Amino acid sequence: MTTSPAVSAAPAAVIADAAAYAEAVATASRAAAAYYATGESALDDDAYDRLARGIAAWEAAHPEEVAADSPTGKVAGGAAVGDVPHTVPMLSLDNVFSAEQLTAWTASLERRIGRTVAAWSVEPKLDGLAVAARYEDGRLTRLITRGDGTAGEDVSHAVGTVIGLPDALAEPVTLEIRGEVLMTQEQFEQANAARTAHGAAPFANPRNGAAGTLRARDRAYRVEMTFFGYGALALPGTAPGLAARLAELPHSAVMAEVVRLGVHTAATTEVAPRVVAAAEDVPARIEEIAAARPGLPFGIDGIVVKADPAADRAEAGSGSRAPRWAVAYKLPAVEKVTTLLGVEWNVGRTGVIAPRAVLEPVEIDGSTVTYATLHNPADITRRDLRIGDRVMVHKSGDIIPRVEAPVAHLRTGAERAVEFPSVCPQCGSGIDTSEQRWRCERGRDCRVVASVSYAAGRDQLDIEGLGTTRVVQLVDAGLVSDLADLFLLTREQLLTLDRMGGTSTDNLLAAIEGAKGRPLSRVFCALGVRGTGRSMSRRIARHFADMEHIRAADAEALQGVEGIGAEKARTVVAELAGLAPLIDRLVAAGVNMTEPGATPPAPPAADGTGGTDGGGPGEEAREPAAAGPLAGAAVVVTGAMTGALEKLSRNQMNELVERAGGRSSSSVSKRTTLLVAGEGAGSKREKAAQLGIRIVTPDEFAATVADFLPPAS
């Protein structure tokens, strides 16, 4: 293989002697038993994987001393039980943790069958519980867990709560569909809300929630889960023609049959199974799935690689624990258990009072995590968090770590309640608790320095010479109480401040005057409207063209902007209403309120059906594609820019892309159209090359968008 997926495995646990080995086996067995019985375990996935690999390494060195109850080589670690026999063993998968191990595995499989595998299926390894759904004459008759691989537990009582597993197939066929039952993030939140409302402890994470819920009976509340099919096989009574087809079809074709029968699979997701022609092509798809992981609404903990042709699978066969024709490429753990040491209450520049979890440091996905988001006070109450709790913490890629829930069964009784503030932690004023996100009653006035400094920043109004220290001076002197006051400052006022001579005063006044001419997108961003940032401010400005149209828009009109849903639209409307006096003062001060090159939306037609563009409902009708040399293109910029682009910040580059009609993005994917690769471009350039995406130099890009470049300073 020519590429290396960016995945690294945590080291295996080190087992020094026979006593440590015995303790490790006992610990792993207890953890597996707890997980498969109730969905609860004292170990997170990463800790269990490292322990299991340590046990396997010790046993490889001491084969004569392997314990009978060792989890090595057993389905479900030997802990699961069941009394419903499987017609065909329901095995686990072997794991690999690096590109080198994957290369060795594919080579070993091809040596075993004596030929090159003709095609490989690459699909997500869903983080849930494996089950077998039996259909007789098209009707769902039984749902069985994997158990120990030879027999599983009958959990048919849960059928009505599993979305994606129909009661009846599209055809009256008899067969077994195997797949994974899991909770999406939304279902997990709903489940914990229902559990805490009924006095039960919240689930620690979605996987444990699915495992516990699947086995639960006679609950006073309903918890939904989702099924993803990943295989199908014949059962006694299966029609001969169908049985033959299932045995002879490639795995990918079998899954197409499953979809045709009406069963839910990963086929419609961003990480849909895909067939590649050669082993050398597998890593590129692994990279794509791994890159999409942070944004998925459900959990994956790896990527499954399978030989697709039926003949290759049949010849490879299976061992006692796992098939030899499939392997799981494990991704770094994104969830770990650690201790909640405390909760800090921080006040943002808009006055929002946000709780932040202080954690016992833990390494997740290659970085040390000491803080995590808690969203709002209601979130703390809903999750029943207490200081001293062992908590499940989730982090993936650049996503801010979040606390999922306490691991309630590990509580000792020494935990204590989280104390909520009674007054604003920043200024001591009252707190508006009417919404889930608490806010200081003074709003932005509580953090004048922060809000003005943010507005003056390089990516907003870019007022050179107006750093935080200078803003503090202006606020302390009573010269500035909000953003608009900046544009009313006089030379005489500034000269009264310490370290403000004639030259520095003139320079600052010139910078403030220059800020009046910034495009609307910058001005809107400087306002710090909740729910928006640089990218969203650019979209809003391009969509409405001027501040007058933005302020006149209601929540429905705002939803015409890409990325704005109903809730965010209502927030923006409310924020703009509160900012109305400030915006009026900015207009009076001569601050620009238009977006260059943008055209205001057409007014609604007389019959209320929309503007004059003739579009129907949907985003295309609401927001016509921008004109320009990049119209319709999705552009990623990476590396250091040179030539005409050398002095542009990344935000300015994104603005340039969008002025030229394109859409800026920070990550390379199959939807990327163009990569601008400057000096030092690394993995993004490699990934773009693998995906066949057009790559240009800064000079080539500058020539393409020459008419849209900002004037040279």
Side-chain angles (χ1 to χ4, degrees):
M1 295 189 183
T2 58
T3 59
S4 299
V7 176
S8 59
V14 176
I15 298 176
D17 52 33
Y21 167 70
E23 177 60 29
V25 168
T27 299
S29 298
R30 285 194 301 269
Y35 171 73
Y36 284 101
T38 63
E40 298 176 339
S41 171
L43 300 179
D44 56 47
D45 290 352
D46 185 62
Y48 182 84
D49 278 348
R50 288 189 292 108
L51 188 62
R53 281 185 280 144
I55 290 171
W58 195 90
E59 290 174 348
H62 305 83
E64 71 286 353
E65 298 182 44
V66 175
D69 58 346
S70 168
T72 305
K74 298 175 182 175
V75 175
V81 295
D83 55 7
V84 181
H86 292 300
T87 54
V88 175
M90 195 169 182
L91 304 179
S92 299
L93 291 172
D94 286 331
N95 297 324
V96 294
F97 297 89
S98 67
E100 292 74 21
Q101 290 178 2
L102 180 61
T103 299
W105 179 82
T106 55
S108 173
L109 174 58
E110 292 182 334
R111 285 196 302 272
R112 175 179 287 276
I113 66 175
R115 60 179 176 271
T116 299
V117 173
W120 300 89
S121 177
V122 187
E123 54 199 66
K125 183 177 181 296
L126 298 154
D127 196 10
L129 197 73
V131 297
R134 293 184 181 176
Y135 284 87
E136 295 181 11
D137 297 325
R139 306 295 301 184
L140 180 58
T141 59
R142 215 165 194 182
L143 189 63
I144 309 158
T145 66
R146 175 160 49 201
D148 64 0
T150 60
E153 180 183 353
D154 190 328
V155 290
S156 303
H157 61 271
V159 164
T161 65
V162 182
I163 295 172
L165 198 57
D167 290 333
L169 298 176
E171 293 181 8
V173 293
T174 296
L175 79 168
E176 180 171 290
I177 296 175
R178 293 181 172 180
E180 203 87 3
V181 170
L182 54 77
M183 281 185 182
T184 65
Q185 187 62 34
E186 181 179 1
Q187 288 170 336
F188 172 66
E189 297 287 349
Q190 293 171 346
N192 275 350
R195 283 176 65 80
T196 54
H198 284 81
F203 293 123
N205 62 13
R207 188 166 73 95
N208 288 11
T213 299
L214 198 61
R215 296 181 174 87
R217 297 175 183 266
D218 303 322
R219 278 181 175 162
Y221 52 91
R222 176 185 172 91
V223 173
E224 288 187 340
M225 298 166 286
T226 299
F227 179 82
F228 286 82
Y230 60 64
L233 52 89
L235 288 173
T238 301
L242 176 61
R245 284 210 317 276
L246 292 176
E248 296 173 1
L249 285 175
H251 168 71
S252 55
V254 170
M255 292 312 300
E257 284 286 293
V258 169
V259 171
R260 188 181 63 80
L261 290 171
V263 178
H264 183 244
T265 73
T268 57
T269 71
E270 188 176 353
V271 290
R274 183 177 299 170
V275 175
V276 299
E280 289 76 13
D281 301 324
V282 170
R285 183 55 183 159
I286 287 178
E287 284 278 15
E288 289 179 345
I289 294 176
R293 183 190 195 189
L296 295 176
F298 50 84
I300 66 171
D301 60 355
I303 294 97
V304 179
V305 180
K306 300 175 180 177
D308 193 52
D312 291 348
R313 299 199 310 276
E315 191 161 340
S318 300
S320 61
R321 176 186 175 277
R324 299 189 183 96
W325 45 266
V327 74
Y329 190 110
K330 293 299 288 289
L331 295 173
V334 295
E335 289 184 333
K336 294 282 188 72
V337 175
T338 188
T339 302
L340 178 63
L341 301 178
V343 174
E344 295 179 349
W345 298 88
N346 301 315
V347 184
R349 64 177 183 273
T350 63
V352 170
I353 301 171
R356 182 172 72 161
V358 182
L359 305 171
E360 183 177 291
V362 60
E363 186 171 328
I364 309 178
D365 198 16
S367 63
T368 300
V369 174
T370 53
Y371 298 99
T373 184
L374 290 174
H375 301 296
N376 53 61
D379 183 63
I380 295 174
T381 301
R382 183 171 57 251
R383 298 179 194 278
D384 188 28
L385 291 170
R386 306 173 193 176
I387 305 300
D389 265 336
R390 298 287 286 171
V391 294
M392 188 69 72
V393 180
H394 179 100
K395 177 184 181 294
S396 185
D398 297 329
I399 303 299
I400 298 173
R402 67 174 185 264
V403 173
E404 292 278 38
V407 187
H409 66 279
L410 297 181
R411 281 178 172 157
T412 65
E415 298 80 14
R416 64 187 190 279
V418 174
E419 293 185 9
F420 295 161
S422 57
V423 297
C424 174
Q426 176 70 25
C427 69
S429 299
I431 298 176
D432 178 359
T433 62
S434 61
E435 298 183 10
Q436 282 200 338
R437 299 185 74 188
W438 291 6
R439 198 175 187 189
C440 174
E441 290 180 343
R442 296 180 61 209
R444 286 175 171 77
D445 291 343
C446 177
R447 294 297 304 273
V448 172
V449 171
S451 61
V452 173
S453 297
Y454 170 80
R458 184 181 183 189
D459 290 332
Q460 288 71 248
L461 297 180
D462 193 15
I463 303 178
E464 189 174 350
L466 193 60
T468 300
T469 301
R470 187 66 70 201
V471 174
V472 169
Q473 259 192 313
L474 293 168
V475 172
D476 287 347
L479 299 178
V480 168
S481 60
D482 62 22
L483 174 59
D485 284 341
L486 288 178
F487 298 98
L488 303 178
L489 291 171
T490 66
R491 192 171 193 275
E492 291 71 23
Q493 288 174 326
L494 292 176
L495 287 172
T496 65
L497 301 178
D498 290 342
R499 299 181 301 281
M500 283 296 287
T503 301
S504 55
T505 293
D506 292 339
N507 289 341
L508 179 56
L509 287 172
I512 293 173
E513 185 65 25
K516 291 181 179 180
R518 302 283 181 251
L520 173 61
S521 54
R522 296 288 197 100
V523 176
F524 192 90
C525 188
L527 292 173
V529 176
R530 279 190 297 159
T532 68
R534 292 190 293 269
S535 295
M536 184 58 70
S537 295
R538 289 195 296 269
R539 292 177 201 165
I540 291 172
R542 290 201 320 274
H543 185 88
F544 291 103
D546 60 51
M547 184 64 80
E548 181 180 353
H549 282 88
I550 296 175
R551 297 174 73 179
D554 58 14
E556 183 178 357
L558 275 165
Q559 290 178 65
V561 178
E562 179 195 352
I564 295 186
E567 183 176 352
K568 181 174 287 188
R570 288 192 293 270
T571 298
V572 173
V573 169
E575 284 279 289
L576 289 172
L579 288 165
L582 175 60
I583 296 172
D584 289 341
R585 294 180 63 221
L586 291 171
V587 171
V591 175
N592 173 62
M593 294 290 169
T594 61
E595 184 70 7
T599 303
D607 61 0
T609 57
T612 57
D613 60 358
E619 192 172 293
E620 291 79 3
R622 294 192 301 261
E623 188 170 8
L630 301 179
V635 182
V636 174
V637 178
T638 187
M641 295 296 102
T642 54
L645 309 178
E646 183 175 7
K647 295 183 179 180
L648 299 186
S649 67
R650 191 51 41 89
N651 185 55
Q652 289 172 316
M653 285 294 297
N654 291 337
E655 289 178 338
L656 175 59
V657 167
E658 293 171 6
R659 283 199 304 273
R663 289 186 57 190
S664 59
S665 176
S666 60
S667 59
V668 175
S669 72
K670 61 185 178 182
R671 293 185 295 274
T672 303
T673 308
L674 179 69
L675 179 77
V676 184
E679 294 179 357
S683 60
K684 290 181 181 179
R685 183 186 184 108
E686 294 175 5
K687 185 173 181 179
Q690 292 168 10
L691 296 175
I693 293 166
R694 183 184 171 211
I695 301 171
V696 299
T697 66
D699 287 345
E700 290 170 330
F701 183 73
T704 300
V705 297
D707 292 341
F708 297 85
L709 287 171
S713 56

